Amino acid sequence: NIDLATRAIMFGAVGTAGQRCTTTRRLICQEGISQKLTDQLVTAYKQIRIGDPLDPRTLMGPLIDRDAVETMMHALKMVKKEGGEVICGGDVLEGPQYSGGCYVTPTIVKAHPKMTIVKDETFAPILYVFTVKDMDEAIALHNDVPQGLSSAVFTTNMNLMETFLSPAGSDCGIANVNIGTSGAE
């Protein structure tokens, strides 16, 4: 269910401006749905209201400080250096409604498995998108990071759900099915 996945991924990646331990940082998509899901996420990201976190209409507030902004910008430089592509966002916002220099646009990056930056916890709203052929490749890529707090799979296939939740699947403390990585903990 791509619509369900889009909402959950966006909330997990952008909620708390990507500054939560359970933030969705990597999106691993099967070839047949990768482009459609990415397109839907880009459309959704462009509609995110960024601003004062006390305003109930705001979806994403600022990063914690200017060091966090610098860390995000450094990560995006590494993305380009390592052959990734920023396909949405990645800007520092300016103007009176974005005082303090800590407001950024949430970012979607087309990534590949050889990129080392994808293994860092940047604590910023950067979502790395990968395309894989099958569940075996997805699990191998998913488990190829030193972190392992929260994970999620979106599928209606019971065998894939069971595989993801089994010892052969997600190597995370929290493994969710058809719900995002952040908020359910």
Side-chain angles (χ1 to χ4, degrees):
N1 184 329
I2 291 180
D3 292 332
L4 173 70
T6 299
R7 286 189 302 273
I9 293 161
M10 187 179 78
F11 175 78
V14 174
T16 66
Q19 300 172 106
R20 192 173 189 164
C21 293
T22 56
T23 291
T24 304
R25 300 186 195 295
R26 296 177 304 136
L27 175 60
I28 303 167
C29 303
Q30 192 172 3
E31 284 176 335
I33 63 153
S34 184
Q35 191 60 54
K36 182 177 181 181
L37 180 56
T38 301
D39 290 346
Q40 280 193 218
L41 284 165
V42 167
T43 299
Y45 269 48
K46 289 179 179 179
Q47 298 174 37
I48 292 171
R49 187 179 174 111
I50 302 165
D52 180 352
L54 299 177
D55 183 338
R57 298 170 295 169
T58 296
L59 181 62
M60 192 179 101
L63 294 181
I64 190 71
D65 57 28
R66 288 185 185 185
D67 286 343
V69 175
E70 287 178 28
T71 299
M72 179 178 172
M73 294 302 116
H74 173 74
L76 295 177
K77 285 179 187 171
M78 293 300 297
V79 161
K80 293 172 185 169
K81 183 178 179 182
E82 293 184 344
E85 176 187 0
V86 174
I87 57 175
C88 176
D91 300 309
V92 178
L93 298 173
E94 297 176 352
Q97 72 271 35
Y98 305 116
S99 64
C102 296
Y103 291 88
V104 298
T105 55
T107 307
I108 299 174
V109 170
K110 186 176 180 180
H112 61 81
K114 301 253 188 245
M115 295 171 65
T116 60
I117 190 64
V118 302
K119 295 181 182 185
D120 290 349
E121 288 187 296
T122 306
F123 289 97
I126 301 173
L127 179 65
Y128 299 103
V129 180
F130 300 88
T131 302
V132 297
K133 291 182 175 134
D134 57 29
M135 187 65 153
D136 290 337
E137 186 180 352
I139 289 173
L141 179 59
H142 165 58
N143 290 335
D144 187 32
V145 293
Q147 308 86 4
L149 180 56
S150 185
S151 61
V153 66
F154 290 87
T155 184
T156 55
N157 181 311
M158 291 297 290
N159 288 332
L160 292 180
M161 286 180 209
E162 290 296 327
T163 299
F164 187 76
L165 296 174
S166 78
S170 174
D171 190 20
C172 286
I174 302 169
N176 298 305
V177 175
N178 294 331
I179 188 169
T181 63
S182 189
E185 67 278 6

